[in-house]
Amino acid sequence: MRLHPSAADGLIAAALATVAVLLGTEAVAQGWPALDPLGWALVALIDLPLALRTRAPLAVCLLVHASWVVYVSLGYWPVVGSFGPMLALYTVASLRSTPAAAASAALLAGVWIYAGVISGTGAMASVVGQAIGFPLVLWRFGYVARRTTELTRELRAEQADRARREVAEERVRIARELHDVVAHHIAVINVQAGLARFVFGSDARTAREALGTIEGSSGEALAELRRMLGLLRADGAQEAAGAPAPGLDQLEEMAGRVRAGGVPVDLRVTGEPRPLPPGVQLCVYRVVQEALTNVLKHAPGAHADVELAYRAGEVTVSVVDDGSAQGAVPDTMRQGGGHGLIGMRERAKLYGGTIAVGPRSEGGFGVRLTLPTPVRTARRGDAVRE
């Protein structure tokens, strides 16, 4: 269970106050005056403000040291109040700049030596050694903690920036492929429009069929354009020429290439096959391609099953493998992130579908994509499950 930082600071302050109280009860046995109400109040002023140490490190450090100076000046046992100033120095060193940490270390050393002088101890060499050693060690620990926090923050920012770049690059790549799909529709419209114009006066039936094809292709082209614009609204695209978009009729060819790479692949089609828009076919093809590539790279020797299922109102494709005799090496996608999963997620979201990616209880790994059909479906939220 993770505690809120303020709650953790409060518990630490309470723990130090408890230790101070226990030490305070031993003052008489150690040859020091017993703590009276003023002494206990000063102990509280030394330890309890540490509950606010991360909110105002310098102010708390000054208050704690000032209270400790008064406590020592009144002749009480200095050890009882020594833990609060030490923690205050560590806090300043871990949260503030080096000059502030140096000033706090010097303050702790000065008060420590002052306490030795007031106490009249004969071991001043030991007191001076402690006054130098303890602040330096605490300063170093605080500095290491501060650098670790800064490096962690920089790493998280770098990871977030890299993830944003990967999403942008993947969306640009998808948009290029959608450009090919739209170009295909426009080409069909152009041909059918020419045919309708040519036979308009002599063959009304053929002209009507051509106009119907134009209507369907233009509707699908507009849907793809809307998707492309929605995908690139905040990212911008770079012009690039791409190869013709692959479709479901090329799944067997892809499976053959994977088999040649050493991974047995079984491809099954269930349900009644029906024509699907090129964009949906492309989405299915790319998800299967990414999943099989992952098996080929990270589960050599595994057996993969690909099932394409046509159902009422949707099409589903699943790719599962049974693992490897040598043990699959988990890649970024298998750990729940990475470029491969980003591409799958973006494609599924683009077509209002869902995708489930993760290890199987019986062993191996699985990917399952479900897309609604027809494609004129409102875009739903990102429903990726891992």
Side-chain angles (χ1 to χ4, degrees):
M1 181 177 64
R2 298 186 61 183
L3 291 176
H4 189 277
S6 298
D9 290 341
L11 290 176
I12 292 174
L16 284 181
T18 301
V19 172
V21 168
L22 293 176
L23 284 174
T25 59
E26 298 292 329
V28 176
Q30 298 296 327
W32 293 88
L35 271 67
D36 53 16
L38 177 58
W40 290 118
L42 289 171
V43 168
L45 281 176
I46 293 173
D47 295 309
L48 295 183
L50 293 170
L52 304 175
R53 65 190 183 93
T54 55
R55 297 184 182 181
L58 290 173
V60 169
C61 184
L62 292 175
L63 174 61
V64 166
H65 278 83
S67 301
W68 193 31
V69 168
V70 175
Y71 174 88
V72 170
S73 299
L74 292 177
Y76 299 113
W77 188 20
V79 174
V80 176
S82 62
F83 298 105
M86 295 170 68
L87 180 58
L89 167 58
Y90 169 81
T91 303
V92 172
S94 63
L95 297 178
R96 292 295 181 262
S97 62
T98 299
S104 299
L107 177 61
L108 175 61
V111 176
W112 200 289
I113 294 175
Y114 172 73
V117 173
I118 291 295
S119 301
T121 178
M124 280 304 297
S126 174
V127 171
V128 172
Q130 294 175 22
I132 296 175
F134 286 162
L136 288 179
V137 171
L138 292 169
W139 184 3
R140 176 62 181 175
F141 282 171
Y143 173 78
V144 171
R146 178 163 60 88
R147 287 296 300 154
T148 300
T149 301
E150 292 173 353
L151 291 175
T152 301
R153 189 180 300 114
E154 292 174 2
L155 178 61
R156 288 177 178 172
E158 181 181 347
Q159 289 175 338
D161 182 64
R162 183 166 61 248
R164 285 192 295 269
R165 289 198 307 268
E166 289 179 351
V167 169
E169 291 170 1
E170 186 65 23
R171 288 183 173 183
V172 168
R173 187 167 71 90
I174 295 172
R176 291 169 183 167
E177 295 174 346
L178 291 181
H179 167 271
D180 295 333
V181 173
V182 173
H184 166 76
H185 287 306
I186 298 300
V188 170
I189 292 171
N190 182 61
V191 172
Q192 294 297 322
L195 175 62
R197 184 166 61 100
F198 182 75
V199 302
F200 190 78
S202 59
D203 191 343
R205 181 173 177 274
T206 301
R208 282 195 298 271
E209 291 177 354
L211 290 174
T213 302
I214 290 173
E215 180 184 12
S217 295
S218 62
E220 291 181 1
L222 287 173
E224 298 294 349
L225 281 173
R226 281 195 295 269
R227 287 192 177 89
M228 188 187 303
L229 291 174
L231 186 70
L232 302 176
R233 184 173 292 123
D235 296 292
Q238 303 172 359
E239 294 184 3
L248 299 184
D249 56 344
Q250 295 175 262
L251 286 179
E252 182 59 44
E253 179 183 348
M254 182 209 303
R257 291 195 299 269
V258 176
R259 293 189 192 103
V263 174
V265 179
D266 288 337
L267 175 62
R268 297 189 305 276
V269 179
T270 61
E272 184 64 28
R274 59 183 181 273
L276 294 176
V280 173
Q281 294 191 48
L282 177 62
C283 179
V284 173
Y285 182 91
R286 290 304 187 198
V287 168
V288 173
Q289 182 182 50
E290 184 66 39
L292 289 180
T293 300
N294 195 64
V295 176
L296 188 63
K297 291 169 57 180
H298 300 288
H303 182 277
D305 286 307
V306 180
E307 181 179 0
L308 176 64
Y310 293 89
R311 296 189 174 91
E314 66 181 21
V315 61
T316 300
V317 63
S318 62
V319 182
V320 298
D321 66 76
D322 57 4
S324 165
Q326 300 175 345
V329 179
D331 65 334
T332 54
M333 193 191 77
R334 291 176 178 249
Q335 294 172 350
H339 194 78
L341 181 56
I342 289 175
M344 292 183 181
R345 178 173 60 240
E346 292 299 317
R347 291 181 187 279
K349 183 168 69 172
L350 183 64
Y351 288 94
T354 60
I355 186 168
V357 181
R360 305 164 63 214
S361 58
E362 60 270 32
F365 202 77
V367 176
R368 182 181 180 86
L369 170 70
T370 301
L371 296 177
T373 57
V375 296
R376 295 182 181 86
T377 305
R379 288 185 66 183
R380 302 198 296 248
D382 191 356
V384 175
R385 175 172 55 85
E386 300 174 30

